[in-house]
Amino acid sequence: VYQRQVTAVGGPAMRLDARNRLASLRPWNDTANGIPAIRFGKIEGLPVASFVAGGGTGGTSRLYRQPSYQEAAGLRSGRRTVPDVSMYADSAPGIAIYCTAWDPATATGPCPPNPVTGNGWNPVGGTSFAAPLLAGGIALANQHAEAKGAPRVGFVNPLLYTPRAL
């Protein structure tokens, strides 16, 4: 029920050509270093698949019905399709964060010094950063709307799937 009320955020890695046009698009962590994305095995005799490295490209749910806003946009799968939005998520070059939570005496903490720069600036990425980036953009849109006396954006999915004339 709630899957239709969620804005799913994908996180691609993109490369632009010399004319600033999209040259390639792939999941931000797609099969890093040739490691297969899924490893199969058994736990307590039961078959399992574990995530090793890599990312999905989205797709169509086997569980959830298609929400009306996707159907109205011309998607005719009958099932929920994700992601709804893609935000840049590649960790190279990534989004720079500064973290000093590192104890050099014990070599412990969540943020070791960057091996290239030797300081606390580290590039990060992934959908864990793409989703808050989208949320921040929606928050700014809501602030702007409120300042202009307009209604807030609210649940954005129907708006995202509304065809627009160019």
Side-chain angles (χ1 to χ4, degrees), residues 42-166:
K42 291 188 176 186
I43 295 178
E44 296 181 3
L46 299 173
V48 296
S50 61
F51 176 80
V52 178
T57 56
T60 304
S61 174
R62 293 183 183 189
L63 300 175
Y64 299 101
R65 292 178 187 244
Q66 187 172 44
S68 59
Y69 52 81
Q70 286 187 338
E71 188 176 324
L75 298 173
R76 302 277 184 237
S77 66
R79 296 288 181 211
R80 174 78 164 98
T81 304
V82 294
D84 298 302
V85 174
S86 287
M87 301 291 287
Y88 185 72
D90 199 346
S91 57
I95 299 167
I97 64 164
Y98 192 81
C99 182
T100 58
W102 180 257
D103 183 356
T106 62
T108 59
C111 302
N114 183 312
V116 175
T117 64
N119 61 31
W121 284 106
N122 288 284
V124 295
T127 52
S128 296
F129 287 86
L133 183 63
L134 176 65
I138 292 171
L140 291 172
N142 281 335
Q143 287 177 346
H144 181 73
E146 188 174 322
K148 298 291 183 182
R152 290 176 173 232
V153 174
F155 180 53
V156 298
N157 288 21
L159 179 64
L160 295 174
Y161 287 93
T162 300
R164 299 276 183 218
L166 296 176

